[in-house]
Amino acid sequence: MAICENDRDVLLKSQQGELDAVLMYNALADVVHDAEDAETFRALAAEEGHHAAVFKGLTQQILTPKKTKAVLLPLLYRVIGKKRLYPLIAKGEYSAENAYAPVAEKYPEVQSVKADEKRHGDTVLALLGEDERKAPPTKAIIAGAGVVLAAAAILCLKGRKRCV
């Protein structure tokens, strides 16, 4: 089946996102304080790897994961904590579910990936206690993200390495 240009762009972006999520979840598993969270993140990383393979089967492209989220999210975990970070991660999973909807209609193998993304969001939220599931204060998230981004910029300048 030939892939149209618009679908190809969505599929490549999806493949990249799944590859990046593998690194992100493994990096989070290395820094979280709770063993259940670490185990869950490792399982999610494995599933995201499977998803990347599904998209690779469609795109026939080999992509390289980007380390940005794998560096920033563990820093955010340390700065703003799981109560504020996990809802952001879940929101990203739900956004992926929505982004996959148009291509899932055309490519049946994407249907299960789409369904998994909702389950991933629910799984990450379930790691929070009942009192932690309330919406995080936006100002705290923005302040925390600003601190992390500033720290990342300083590290990049010090090491004079390309930060990806």
Side-chain angles (χ1 to χ4, degrees):
M1 171 189 270
I3 297 175
C4 74
E5 187 78 21
N6 289 341
D7 289 349
R8 184 171 182 71
D9 290 345
V10 171
L11 294 169
L12 282 168
K13 184 176 178 182
S14 301
Q15 181 181 349
Q16 186 68 60
E18 298 294 333
L19 286 170
D20 297 350
V22 172
L23 292 182
M24 177 195 79
Y25 280 128
N26 279 324
L28 281 169
D30 290 342
V31 300
V32 296
H33 302 299
D34 186 279
E36 179 187 355
D37 292 10
E39 183 180 328
T40 298
F41 287 145
R42 292 206 193 286
L44 291 174
E47 289 184 18
E48 299 291 15
H50 170 73
H51 296 166
V54 169
F55 288 113
K56 181 183 178 284
L58 293 167
T59 66
Q60 297 297 303
Q61 295 288 312
I62 297 172
L63 302 179
T64 303
K66 296 178 183 173
K67 298 177 185 174
T68 308
K69 289 181 183 177
V71 170
L72 291 180
L73 269 71
L75 289 172
L76 275 174
Y77 176 82
R78 290 180 178 112
V79 173
I80 66 174
K82 76 187 243 179
K83 178 180 177 181
R84 292 186 180 98
L85 180 61
Y86 289 12
L88 293 175
I89 295 169
K91 184 177 179 181
E93 295 288 356
Y94 297 140
S95 294
E97 175 194 16
N98 292 331
Y100 299 167
V103 290
E105 293 174 12
K106 297 177 186 176
Y107 308 97
E109 53 269 65
V110 178
Q111 281 291 354
S112 67
V113 174
K114 179 181 169 279
D116 282 351
E117 297 306 323
K118 177 174 184 334
R119 184 177 48 77
H120 289 180
D122 294 344
T123 299
V124 172
L125 287 179
L127 294 172
L128 296 173
E130 192 64 37
D131 60 324
E132 294 173 313
R133 290 188 190 153
K134 296 177 182 166
T138 305
K139 288 181 183 179
I141 292 171
I142 293 169
V147 168
V148 169
L149 291 174
I154 290 167
L155 290 172
C156 287
L157 291 174
K158 276 187 163 185
R160 297 187 191 268
K161 293 181 180 177
R162 183 173 162 252
C163 290
V164 179

